[in-house]
């Protein structure tokens, strides 16, 4: 998508305190990228190149990818994987799949194979230990798949902190049954259009949707049935949110759908530090936004 419709890359920097974090992991740095939609239309070559360069300059300990790498066709996945192979981090790149990565039939296998061929580990209801046993990384199947299974968290001692990668932020609701120190999600594109003072467009337009004739809805952005059902909890469209006793961060993504973005630029997230806390749930320490004009 041309920069005039997507806006320039924004780097969001947050610092989160995590209870029971081993002292050896204090100062850990993560980069999150999401919703690339690498299909020749929704993500420009310049945006992808810039995101990779910015991530590498940050020198993170780990890169987390949170889904929707392709759109309606998994064919571009090997080419994208070759590009993402150039992401540099101390402990590697870990990924979960989004709804666009598992449809049509066979897409999940193709995307997973492409990523794992270049060393990107794709988690599907699995637990990985790149940081060791003191901070497991849990990757869940997409919420819209028939295989989403948060009970994998039962394998972990509740006294051990954990990061959860889950494409759809709606999963934060059922995940309240488990300890989730920090959940990283995408899927919403931040709402794409944000009205100053009102927030992301989908958080408030739905109240007016019922007054729009059904015959008009397919022609009005965000009013189509498929858009309307993208996510239930639009209040979590972007940024950091407390959900019960857990924390959720939602990345706005890199890819852009028509009619484009407004006050909602593509995002690379840097969790700048995972600081040790006492036996309390994590608290947001600070958040900064850095616009990368390119």
């Amino acid at each position: 998508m041309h920069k005039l419709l997507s806006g320039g890359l924004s780097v969001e920097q947050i610092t989160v305190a995590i209870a029971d974090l081993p002292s050896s992991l204090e100062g850990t740095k993560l980069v999150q990228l999401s919703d690339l939609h690498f299909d020749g239309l929704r993500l420009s070559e310049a945006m992808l190149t810039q995101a990779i360069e910015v991530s590498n300059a940050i020198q993170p300990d780990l890169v987390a990818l949170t889904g929707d790498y392709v759109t309606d066709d998994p064919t571009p996945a090997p080419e994208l994987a070759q590009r993402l192979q150039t992401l540099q981090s101390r402990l590697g790149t870990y990924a979960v799949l989004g709804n666009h990565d598992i449809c049509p039939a066979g897409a999940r296998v193709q995307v997973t194979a492409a990523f794992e061929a270049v060393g990107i580990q794709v988690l599907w209801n699995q637990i990985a230990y790149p940081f060791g046993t003191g901070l497991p990384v849990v990757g869940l199947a997409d919420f819209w798949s028939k295989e989403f299974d948060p009970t994998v968290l039962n394998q972990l001692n509740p006294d051990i902190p954990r990061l959860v990668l889950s494409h759809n932020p709606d999963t934060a609701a059922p995940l309240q049954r488990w300890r989730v120190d920090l959940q990283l999600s995408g899927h919403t594109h931040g709402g794409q259009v944000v009205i100053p003072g009102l927030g992301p467009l989908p958080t408030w337009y739905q109240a007016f949707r019922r007054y729009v004739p059904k015959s008009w809805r397919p022609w009005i952005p965000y009013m189509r049935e498929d858009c309307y059902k993208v996510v239930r909890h639009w209040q979590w469209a972007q940024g950091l949110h407390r959900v019960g006793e857990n924390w959720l961060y939602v990345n706005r993504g890199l890819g852009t759908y028509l009619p484009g973005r407004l006050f909602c630029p593509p995002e690379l997230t840097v969790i700048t530090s995972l600081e040790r806390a006492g036996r309390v749930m994590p608290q947001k320490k600070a958040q900064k936004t850095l616009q990368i004009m390119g």
Side-chain angles (χ1 to χ4, degrees):
M1 188 67 68
H2 194 278
K3 186 176 177 180
L4 288 175
L5 294 176
S6 72
L9 180 66
S10 175
V11 177
E12 300 288 344
Q13 303 185 51
I14 65 170
T15 303
V16 178
I18 289 185
D20 311 311
L21 188 71
S23 58
S24 61
L25 295 178
E26 292 181 29
T28 298
K29 186 183 299 182
L30 298 152
V31 161
Q32 179 194 8
L33 295 171
S34 195
D35 297 84
L36 280 71
H37 290 283
F38 185 78
D39 60 5
L41 173 63
R42 295 171 178 85
L43 177 66
S44 70
E45 177 66 24
M47 179 67 68
L48 177 59
T49 298
Q50 186 177 39
I52 293 172
E53 290 177 348
V54 170
S55 179
N56 290 344
I58 291 166
Q59 298 181 318
D61 294 293
L62 183 139
V63 176
L65 307 176
T66 49
D68 278 3
Y69 312 109
V70 294
T71 304
D72 301 313
D73 177 9
T75 303
E79 181 182 352
L80 175 61
Q82 291 295 324
R83 298 297 308 279
L84 296 178
Q85 185 181 22
T86 63
L87 286 166
Q88 301 169 11
S89 62
R90 184 172 64 89
L91 298 172
T93 301
Y94 288 77
V96 291
L97 302 183
N99 53 294
H100 283 278
D101 305 317
I102 61 175
C103 186
R108 173 191 162 190
V109 172
Q110 293 182 57
V111 174
T112 299
F115 277 32
E116 293 190 340
V118 299
I120 298 173
Q121 185 167 344
V122 178
L123 302 176
W124 186 266
N125 296 324
Q126 293 171 289
I127 303 173
Y129 295 90
F131 300 108
T133 58
L135 186 65
V137 177
V138 181
L140 297 176
D142 183 66
F143 196 35
W144 289 0
S145 76
K146 296 180 181 179
E147 299 182 33
F148 173 74
D149 184 12
T151 63
V152 66
L153 288 160
N154 291 335
Q155 299 176 28
L156 299 176
N157 185 316
D159 293 331
I160 297 176
R162 72 289 308 268
L163 301 175
V164 174
L165 310 182
S166 183
H167 173 68
N168 191 326
D170 278 348
T171 59
L175 283 172
Q176 292 179 80
R177 293 176 51 194
W178 291 271
R179 173 177 178 169
V180 176
D181 295 86
L182 180 61
Q183 174 180 338
L184 299 180
S185 297
H187 185 61
T188 64
H189 296 208
Q192 284 214 168
V193 174
V194 175
I195 308 301
L198 293 175
L201 181 62
T203 63
W204 57 271
Y205 89 97
Q206 294 183 20
F208 303 99
R209 185 176 184 269
R210 61 178 177 268
Y211 299 111
V212 177
K214 291 184 178 179
S215 60
W216 294 8
R217 293 175 188 173
W219 308 102
I220 302 175
Y222 294 98
M223 290 281 176
R224 298 193 309 270
E225 193 69 19
D226 55 343
C227 294
Y228 181 69
K229 294 182 177 180
V230 165
V231 68
R232 177 180 178 183
H233 294 281
W234 277 111
Q235 70 271 27
W236 304 334
Q238 59 177 283
L240 190 63
H241 303 272
R242 186 70 177 266
V243 183
E245 296 298 317
N246 298 335
W247 283 101
L248 163 70
Y249 188 85
V250 183
N251 179 293
R252 295 189 298 269
L254 292 180
T256 298
Y257 274 83
L258 291 174
R261 293 176 179 265
L262 179 66
F263 302 115
C264 187
E267 175 181 349
L268 178 150
T269 311
V270 185
I271 295 88
T272 56
S273 180
L274 297 173
E275 297 179 344
R276 191 179 188 188
R279 292 187 61 83
V280 295
M281 294 310 295
Q283 295 181 354
K284 177 182 175 183
K285 299 286 286 187
Q287 181 169 345
K288 295 191 297 182
T289 300
L290 175 62
Q291 297 288 338
I292 306 294
M293 300 307 294

